[in-house]
Amino acid sequence: MFNGIIKHTGGFVKLVPGPNNYFVLTINAPTIANKLSIGDSVCVNGACLTVSQIQADNLCFDLLQETLDKTNLGDLNDDSQLNLELSIKMSDYMSGHLVSGHIDFYTELL
């Protein structure tokens, strides 16, 4: 779970096709990379993603096409900054509200 308060940002590095019909999103996140392990959850621009690799200050996430279709993560470019939020522990101070971070549907605004 997340509390909806953004405390970190990261820079877009690349989004490349991976094997088995997924994509690998790489984000430069020096303020949090050393705090995370493979398998940890990070809220990236509002979507809950799982760390698949850590390469120094870069975090990698495996994304399905569905994630790219339902979020803005498929529209990133070299100048993109991303909002990053670490998941909370039940003992953490709650300064916001609980947010699941899972994208269930997408609606286009007219």
Side-chain angles (χ1 to χ4, degrees):
M1 288 291 225
F2 305 95
N3 70 359
I5 305 300
I6 305 303
K7 294 184 179 178
H8 306 279
T9 59
F12 173 77
V13 175
K14 62 184 174 178
L15 177 66
V16 296
N20 300 320
N21 296 321
Y22 68 84
F23 298 83
V24 179
L25 171 64
T26 303
I27 298 171
N28 182 256
T31 61
I32 63 170
N34 64 347
K35 300 176 185 178
L36 296 171
S37 300
I38 293 173
D40 285 347
S41 294
V42 179
C43 188
V44 179
N45 279 12
C48 178
L49 303 181
T50 302
V51 176
S52 61
Q53 298 176 55
I54 301 172
Q55 304 167 342
D57 287 344
N58 291 339
L59 301 174
C60 299
F61 304 90
D62 297 340
L63 308 181
L64 295 174
Q65 183 65 51
E66 183 81 1
T67 303
L68 299 176
D69 292 344
K70 297 208 178 334
T71 68
N72 68 354
L73 299 176
D75 300 324
L76 301 174
N77 59 53
D78 291 343
D79 297 328
S80 295
Q81 289 292 305
L82 297 105
N83 292 324
L84 305 176
E85 184 185 351
L86 300 177
S87 58
I88 61 171
K89 300 178 200 92
M90 293 310 286
S91 61
D92 287 347
Y93 172 72
M94 277 292 301
S95 60
H97 55 280
L98 291 177
V99 179
S100 74
H102 292 270
I103 309 299
D104 295 324
F105 62 92
Y106 170 79
T107 303
E108 274 193 52
L109 299 174
L110 300 177

